[in-house]
Amino acid sequence: MGEISITKLLVIAALVVLLFGTKKLRTLGGDLGAAIKGFKKAMNDDESGAKTPAATDAPAERLSHKE
């Protein structure tokens, strides 16, 4: 088996292009890019959403127990 050389990677890439076609691979790449961009946006929204309420929280009122 050995190492993976650049020629082996080129042969694998050529086989993938022949099997799936360039149009299918282009749409797959676009979908993957959009998914990654959406994931990053959701992660940034979660982080900013989690920080905002914590900074604006008021201290809790003390409750006294009356008998």
Side-chain angles (χ1 to χ4, degrees):
M1 291 294 255
E3 299 175 14
I4 298 176
S5 65
I6 190 71
T7 55
K8 290 180 184 177
L9 290 175
L10 290 174
V11 169
I12 291 171
L15 289 173
V16 168
V17 169
L18 286 174
L19 286 174
F20 295 107
T22 57
K23 185 177 180 183
K24 183 109 174 169
L25 290 175
R26 189 178 307 128
T27 58
L28 180 66
D31 291 343
L32 182 63
I36 291 172
K37 187 182 288 185
F39 178 74
K40 285 182 180 180
K41 184 180 179 209
M43 290 299 291
N44 288 336
D45 289 347
D46 284 347
E47 287 176 3
S48 65
K51 290 179 183 176
T52 303
T56 60
D57 283 345
E61 295 179 23
R62 291 187 176 201
L63 298 176
S64 61
H65 181 66
K66 296 180 181 177
E67 291 185 28

